[in-house]
């Protein structure tokens, strides 16, 4: 026969474990949604420009644009990561343009991020930018409240 104090100890342990499991499960979606620019671009890349807001004409931020550089191979990497509508597919573009060189974009319907876009850019200037649309809108939308922009489209920057 199990004593009443032993039963209370077992019940307390089960309740504590259940509460811990609930807290752990509740925290997992937030952790899963967090995607770092470094993990997207890969090993060897360091962040050069951190968290450029990608926002609408009205100031609503849909996500952040990142520019990274790899000294080992001389490549830049661009990615844009959602902070709104994470998990819902929406049209996004991440773009990189190397002065006197190539340009490349990654465009499509993505749930978390666009990119990585990588180009060789050692000792060269770059332009980088991103666009993001509401999940229900399209790239052909002319409604300024449904599209967000961010980055350096007009001037060459980060000349190395």
């Amino acid at each position: 026969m199990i004593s009443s104090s032993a039963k209370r100890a077992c019940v307390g342990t089960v309740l504590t474990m259940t509460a811990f499991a609930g807290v752990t499960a509740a925290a997992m979606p937030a952790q899963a949604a967090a995607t770092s620019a470094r993990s997207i671009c890969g090993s060897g890349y360091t962040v050069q420009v951190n968290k450029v807001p990608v926002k609408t004409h009205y100031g609503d931020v849909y996500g952040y644009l990142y520019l990274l550089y790899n000294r080992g191979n001389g490549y830049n990497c661009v990615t844009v990561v959602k902070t709104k509508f994470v998990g819902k597919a929406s049209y996004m573009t991440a773009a990189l343009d190397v002065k006197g060189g190539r340009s490349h974009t990654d465009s499509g319907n993505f749930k978390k991020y666009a990119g990585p876009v990588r180009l060789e850019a050692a000792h060269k200037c770059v332009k980088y930018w991103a666009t993001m649309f509401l999940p229900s809108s399209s790239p052909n939308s002319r409604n300024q409240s449904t599209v967000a922009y961010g980055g350096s489209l007009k001037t060459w920057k980060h000349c190395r």
Side-chain angles (χ1 to χ4, degrees), residues 10 29-30 34 41 50 110 125 129:
C10 285
C41 287
N50 193 25
F110 303 111
C125 304
W129 64 94

Side-chain angles (χ1 to χ4, degrees), residues 44-110:
Y45 284 89
T46 57
V47 176
Q48 300 298 300
V49 179
N50 193 25
K51 291 182 79 168
V52 174
V54 180
K55 57 186 176 179
T56 67
H57 178 71
Y58 301 105
D60 296 325
V61 176
Y62 287 3
Y64 292 95
L65 174 65
Y66 299 86
L67 175 68
L68 295 88
Y69 183 71
N70 185 323
R71 285 181 191 233
N73 63 18
Y75 276 65
N76 274 96
C77 178
V78 170
T79 185
V80 58
V81 180
K82 285 184 176 185
T83 55
K84 278 194 173 180
F85 320 115
V86 176
K88 293 183 181 180
S90 61
Y91 192 82
M92 302 170 64
T93 299
L96 178 61
D97 190 5
V98 179
K99 188 173 186 177
R102 299 176 44 207
S103 62
H104 185 68
T105 61
D106 183 29
S107 299
N109 289 303
F110 303 111

Side-chain angles (χ1 to χ4, degrees), residues 6-18:
K7 287 181 185 177
R8 282 192 296 271
C10 285
V11 169
T13 302
V14 168
L15 290 174
T16 301
M17 290 172 64
T18 303

